[in-house]
């Protein structure tokens, strides 16, 4: 039962954007503090290319154009949330990132998506905070830092899907994808302390104990939860031997690829990608 889902070789497609203009030039999360002008763009480019190379072994990658003046555009996870051929476009909380919205809108239109928007007063940061479960037709939604809780109802209506809000309470884990990752086979890898008690209880109520992969604070601070998952493959910045062993025991193959330059901006592997193929789970399961 466990492994046949992982054996399914998905032809996943991820959207990425080259770090031609990547730098830390403002501070909108605790990771960026002290890092203004402390980056090395050629190292960032090498690390990003290594991630492209690694993911490219198992999935397709579509590139969107890099643009000057929007240094965080590399974090395509924040473009919007995709379901089927629809995407709900992000509306960034901080003015520093709002200029990215038109570029993400253009990229989605170029890839044939129907682009939907939320009411103007509601900040929403896409697949940074909205993650599809991998076994149920359910959207996990992080709020408390960047995305507004009121988006939960709107997302549910626009995408016709059940939404489970989760409240984030640690400023270092300011997006859901920094501390929570649904994986193939219905597993969920997460750092519990990043959530309030009620949200921890919701996760435990929805995800059976044998499907929960608990991440230590040490691994979480290395952005281990910020994982790109395609079938049985997992791509992340860094994981302890214990976490690697735990993931392997569930049938996953772990690829560690250093993304330290992007950690200076508060991002890693998952933030640098957006999965473009997100079928409704019921349809996906029927097709198996
Ligand atoms: N500097 C960016 C920000 O604070 C990093 C975004 C990382 N993306 C993510 N999906 N967690 O918005």
């Amino acid at each position: 039962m466990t492994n046949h889902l992982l054996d399914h070789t998905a032809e996943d497609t991820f959207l990425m954007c080259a770090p031609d203009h990547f730098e830390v030039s403002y501070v909108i999360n605790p990771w960026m503090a002290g890092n203004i002008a402390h980056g090395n763009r050629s190292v960032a480019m090498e690390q990003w290319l290594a991630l492209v190379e690694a993911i490219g072994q198992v999935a397709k990658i579509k590139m969107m154009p890099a643009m000057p003046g929007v240094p965080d555009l590399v974090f395509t996870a924040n473009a919007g949330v995709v379901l089927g051929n629809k995407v709900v476009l992000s509306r960034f909380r901080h003015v520093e990132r709002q200029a990215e919205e038109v570029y993400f809108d253009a990229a989605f239109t170029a890839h044939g998506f129907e682009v939907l928007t939320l009411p103007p007063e509601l900040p929403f940061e896409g697949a940074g905070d909205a993650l599809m479960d991998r076994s149920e037709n359910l959207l996990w939604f992080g709020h408390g830092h960047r995305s507004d809780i009121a988006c939960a109802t709107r997302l549910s209506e626009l995408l016709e899907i059940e939404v489970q809000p989760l409240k984030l309470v640690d400023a270092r884990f300011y997006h859901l994808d920094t501390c929570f990752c649904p994986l193939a086979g219905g597993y969920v890898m997460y750092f519990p302390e990043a959530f309030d008690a009620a949200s921890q209880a919701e996760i435990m109520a929805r995800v059976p104990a044998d499907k929960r992969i608990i991440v230590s604070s040490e691994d979480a601070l290395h952005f281990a939860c910020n994982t790109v998952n395609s079938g049985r493959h997992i791509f992340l910045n860094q994981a302890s031997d214990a976490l690697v062993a735990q993931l392997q025991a569930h049938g996953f193959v772990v690829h560690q690829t250093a993304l330290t330059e992007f950690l200076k901006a508060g991002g890693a592997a998952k933030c640098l990608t957006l999965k473009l193929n997100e079928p409704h789970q019921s349809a996906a399961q029927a097709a198996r």
Side-chain angles (χ1 to χ4, degrees):
M1 165 68 198
T2 310
N3 279 330
H4 86 277
L5 286 173
L6 298 178
D7 285 336
H8 168 78
T9 39
E11 247 310 278
D12 288 332
T13 305
F14 295 94
L15 179 71
M16 295 183 72
C17 175
D20 298 7
H21 307 283
F22 173 67
E23 63 183 352
V24 178
S25 60
Y26 47 77
V27 176
I28 57 170
N29 70 52
W31 301 87
M32 300 174 100
N35 277 324
I36 290 185
H38 280 136
N40 181 326
R41 196 176 287 148
S42 65
V43 175
M45 183 59 85
E46 279 166 29
Q47 294 183 340
W48 182 84
L49 286 170
L51 180 68
V52 170
E53 163 88 22
I55 297 174
Q57 305 286 322
V58 304
K60 290 194 192 110
I61 297 175
K62 303 259 191 221
M63 295 298 175
M64 64 175 277
M67 291 289 170
V70 277
D72 278 337
L73 194 69
V74 290
F75 298 116
T76 53
N78 297 124
V81 61
V82 170
L83 185 57
N85 73 331
K86 293 182 180 169
V87 60
V88 181
L89 195 65
S90 290
R91 182 169 283 112
F92 288 93
R93 179 171 291 273
H94 297 102
V95 68
E96 289 87 341
R97 294 199 66 183
Q98 287 167 1
E100 298 175 37
E101 292 165 16
V102 289
Y103 301 123
F104 288 138
D105 190 354
F108 288 128
T109 303
H111 286 103
F113 284 93
E114 180 187 349
V115 181
L116 308 173
T117 49
L118 290 159
E121 68 280 7
L122 293 186
F124 170 63
E125 301 204 353
D129 277 327
L131 301 173
M132 287 294 297
D133 191 77
R134 297 280 165 232
S135 66
E136 263 192 89
N137 223 19
L138 174 71
L139 186 67
W140 298 95
F141 173 63
H143 64 96
H145 299 303
R146 297 293 184 85
S147 299
D148 193 298
I149 177 64
C151 297
T153 316
R154 297 306 188 116
L155 289 170
S156 177
E157 288 162 4
L158 287 172
L159 297 174
E160 296 172 72
I161 189 167
E162 186 186 356
V163 174
Q164 172 62 60
L166 296 174
K167 174 138 199 221
L168 299 166
V169 294
D170 182 329
R172 297 168 301 175
F173 303 102
Y174 60 93
H175 276 142
L176 182 63
D177 71 359
T178 63
C179 52
F180 184 93
C181 185
L183 298 173
Y187 293 95
V188 170
M189 169 164 66
Y190 71 111
F191 174 54
E193 288 100 290
F195 299 90
D196 74 359
S199 302
Q200 291 183 34
E202 290 288 1
I203 297 168
M204 288 167 69
R206 284 194 176 264
V207 183
D210 63 332
K211 297 278 180 178
R212 288 181 227 137
I213 299 173
I214 306 292
V215 170
S216 68
S217 67
E218 190 208 346
D219 277 318
L221 289 167
H222 287 130
F223 270 58
C225 297
N226 199 248
T227 275
V228 178
N229 174 220
S230 183
R232 62 170 62 241
H233 296 278
I234 281 184
F235 303 89
L236 48 73
N237 170 59
Q238 189 183 319
S240 64
D241 292 348
L243 180 58
V244 171
Q246 206 182 344
L247 288 164
Q248 284 171 343
H250 293 299
F252 292 100
V253 180
V254 181
H255 308 265
Q256 301 190 50
T257 176
L259 293 162
T260 49
E261 283 300 311
F262 298 96
L263 257 72
K264 294 176 183 173
K270 160 68 175 57
C271 303
L272 292 167
T273 66
L274 177 69
K275 191 161 172 267
L276 290 178
N277 58 304
E278 289 284 9
H280 286 269
Q281 283 305 322
S282 45
Q285 269 150 14
R288 281 199 184 107

